[in-house]
Amino acid sequence: LQFYSLADDTQSLEVEVSPSNRVSAIGATAIKPTRVELVAFSTPSTSTGKEAGSYWMATLDTWVNGTFAAERHIKFWRHSAEGEGFVFRFIAQLQATDRNYSRNWNRFELTTRIDAPHEDVITSMTFSPSSSSPLLLTTSLDSTIKVWSYSGSSWHCRSSSSYRSFAPLDGAWSHDGSMFAVAHPNAITLWSLASNSLIHAFNCGSMGPARKVEFIGEEGTMLLAGGKHGTTVWDLLTFE
């Protein structure tokens, strides 16, 4: 996973999400590499002290080889804005004198790896807006919608839901993180985080199969969905 600085027009960081050293036998079909398919970032922390500016990164990597079932992993990485101790101070000095040194320095720390988070292709992955206790929302072609939370030492599945066995294709959080919306081919569903219950289901109508969904408006009281044949906006105060 490469990070690129627009200001400097250079690669600023590289994270090895899935180390691999698989070698194919002579004459055999080359083994396909692991691919990073999705990445999401949480809102940086606004607290003071050593946690200031820190945030989470979630990555999805997949390995498919021949007739074997695909291997999927969601990994949670913690990024600290500032480090402590001699090693961090030494690295900071090197970065100050050599701008290219940061390319090899990774402040992302892998905290959790979730094996087989879903039983099929994962279609979306997004963090809630909270900067102190973010949650991760994932959707999959296995028809499940999952919310993941951090317990203090690792991440785990907080809740799992589904809607009429429809495959969810995209997910989005409300501005305050109290609700989330999910785009299905035939409907847009609105869910309560507190009760993990369905609030309302919107028919896609002439928009066609829904592909994207997002909360819009200054206070996030409207829901925008996009499909093959156009877009639709609903008012969440009236559900119309």
Side-chain angles (χ1 to χ4, degrees):
L1 185 65
Q2 295 178 324
F3 290 76
Y4 191 82
S5 170
L6 294 177
D8 299 330
D9 193 26
T10 59
Q11 178 185 321
S12 58
L13 182 66
E14 183 172 320
V15 178
E16 191 174 25
V17 174
S18 181
S20 178
N21 190 30
R22 298 186 177 93
V23 179
S24 302
I26 297 176
T29 302
I31 297 176
K32 295 182 179 179
T34 299
R35 297 186 181 280
V36 179
E37 297 185 331
L38 294 173
V39 61
F41 299 92
S42 70
T43 303
S45 174
T46 57
S47 64
T48 58
K50 64 179 182 179
E51 294 297 321
S54 60
Y55 60 89
W56 290 95
M57 176 177 73
T59 58
L60 167 67
D61 60 87
T62 303
W63 180 61
V64 181
N65 186 41
T67 58
F68 293 99
E71 294 183 13
R72 297 183 181 88
H73 309 282
I74 288 180
K75 296 174 182 176
F76 292 91
W77 311 73
R78 183 69 169 173
H79 182 277
S80 299
E82 293 184 1
E84 298 180 344
F86 168 77
V87 174
F88 285 91
R89 291 195 297 270
F90 176 70
I91 290 173
Q93 293 175 357
L94 287 177
Q95 290 176 324
T97 56
D98 183 0
R99 62 186 300 179
N100 294 320
Y101 184 81
S102 60
R103 297 183 183 182
N104 300 318
W105 170 239
N106 177 13
R107 282 182 177 171
F108 283 101
E109 178 187 3
L110 178 62
T111 64
T112 308
R113 189 183 86 167
I114 307 294
D115 297 335
H118 286 272
E119 295 179 1
D120 207 333
V121 174
I122 296 175
T123 54
S124 74
M125 191 168 65
T126 181
F127 276 104
S128 65
S130 172
S131 61
S132 57
S133 301
L135 302 171
L136 184 73
L137 173 68
T138 60
T139 60
S140 169
L141 294 184
D142 65 6
S143 298
T144 61
I145 305 159
K146 293 186 177 183
V147 176
W148 308 81
S149 63
Y150 184 62
S151 62
S153 58
S154 63
W155 286 78
H156 65 277
C157 183
R158 179 181 187 271
S159 64
S160 179
S161 11
S162 62
Y163 179 71
R164 296 185 180 180
S165 298
F166 291 170
L169 302 176
D170 190 37
W173 290 94
S174 62
H175 288 14
D176 63 359
S178 64
M179 301 182 294
F180 57 88
V182 178
H184 309 266
N186 301 313
I188 303 295
T189 54
L190 184 66
W191 301 79
S192 165
L193 174 64
S195 61
N196 192 40
S197 60
L198 179 67
I199 299 174
H200 193 76
F202 301 91
N203 193 305
C204 290
S206 60
M207 179 178 62
R211 300 295 181 185
K212 292 292 181 180
V213 64
E214 193 68 49
F215 288 84
I216 62 173
E218 186 174 346
E219 298 181 357
T221 57
M222 293 184 289
L223 193 62
L224 170 68
K228 183 178 181 180
H229 303 297
T231 59
T232 302
V233 176
W234 293 279
D235 187 334
L236 296 181
L237 299 179
T238 63
F239 291 152
E240 295 181 353

